[in-house]
Amino acid sequence: MRKNRAPKRPVTPDAKYNSELLSRLINMVMQDGKKSTAQAVVYKALATVTSKIKDSDAIEVFFGAVENIKPQVMVKSRRVGGANYQVPVEVAPDRQVSLAMRWMITFAQNKKGKPMDQALASEIIDAFNNTGSAVKKKDEVHRMAAANKAFAHYRW
């Protein structure tokens, strides 16, 4: 590393639920700087979650979904003596949340023929119930890390 790391910029909480995590989701859903559109999509998805899952708060369901998707360990490529090894490393808490939300959004976008708000709502509900593509992705990442435990001594 040549220079200092860039300082973490504070995230302003969203207007409706006063949640920094939800604000990060809105920023990740946003495309071409259209924040109001992204807010509409996310809030509509949360409204759908509320209507589908009775007697539960949509924001709590969202937090639970993110918690179920967060990866604890992942593999990183490390070159040692001309060979590439997949070395398991622990994931920093901030990166865990970023990966979880990225996977959630990606799998929602891949659901063709569905509006984004409905796709995102179904992905949040699936993740909350420990099913769905994003949870499968987390399990896959954990399996890869477990399979490459033998190379853990190459950690840097």
Side-chain angles (χ1 to χ4, degrees):
M1 248 188 302
R2 294 171 188 234
K3 295 265 184 171
N4 296 339
R5 269 217 165 121
K8 290 270 180 221
R9 281 188 247 134
V11 180
T12 53
D14 75 298
K16 194 171 184 181
Y17 293 97
N18 200 31
S19 163
E20 288 184 11
L21 192 64
L22 199 61
S23 184
R24 283 178 66 181
L25 179 74
I26 290 167
N27 288 341
M28 289 174 85
V29 169
M30 177 172 52
Q31 292 179 344
D32 300 326
K34 297 188 174 188
K35 193 163 195 163
S36 56
T37 306
Q39 280 177 328
V41 166
V42 171
Y43 291 147
K44 204 169 176 187
L46 289 177
T48 306
V49 167
T50 305
S51 66
K52 290 231 174 107
I53 298 181
K54 300 290 183 226
D55 54 83
S56 66
D57 190 20
I59 196 81
E60 295 301 322
V61 172
F62 170 66
F63 288 152
V66 170
E67 201 60 42
N68 288 342
I69 303 173
K70 290 196 313 193
Q72 305 302 314
V73 289
M74 65 185 300
V75 291
K76 279 192 171 181
S77 283
R78 175 100 161 104
R79 191 167 174 85
V80 178
N84 282 326
Y85 296 109
Q86 297 288 321
V87 181
V89 291
E90 287 183 15
V91 184
D94 207 42
R95 182 155 169 77
Q96 287 179 359
V97 173
S98 295
L99 284 172
M101 290 198 294
R102 184 185 312 154
W103 293 341
M104 193 186 299
I105 292 166
T106 304
F107 288 118
Q109 287 171 340
N110 289 344
K111 290 185 179 181
K112 298 294 179 206
K114 254 188 175 179
M116 182 59 183
D117 58 294
Q118 288 177 11
L120 187 60
S122 69
E123 203 59 50
I124 289 170
I125 292 167
D126 286 347
F128 182 70
N129 295 328
N130 260 326
T131 57
S133 309
V135 175
K136 203 182 291 182
K137 173 80 171 171
K138 180 195 83 165
D139 292 340
E140 192 178 297
V141 167
H142 279 201
R143 237 189 329 276
M144 279 289 289
N148 289 296
K149 244 185 198 154
F151 305 121
H153 63 282
Y154 287 128
R155 204 176 292 152
W156 61 100

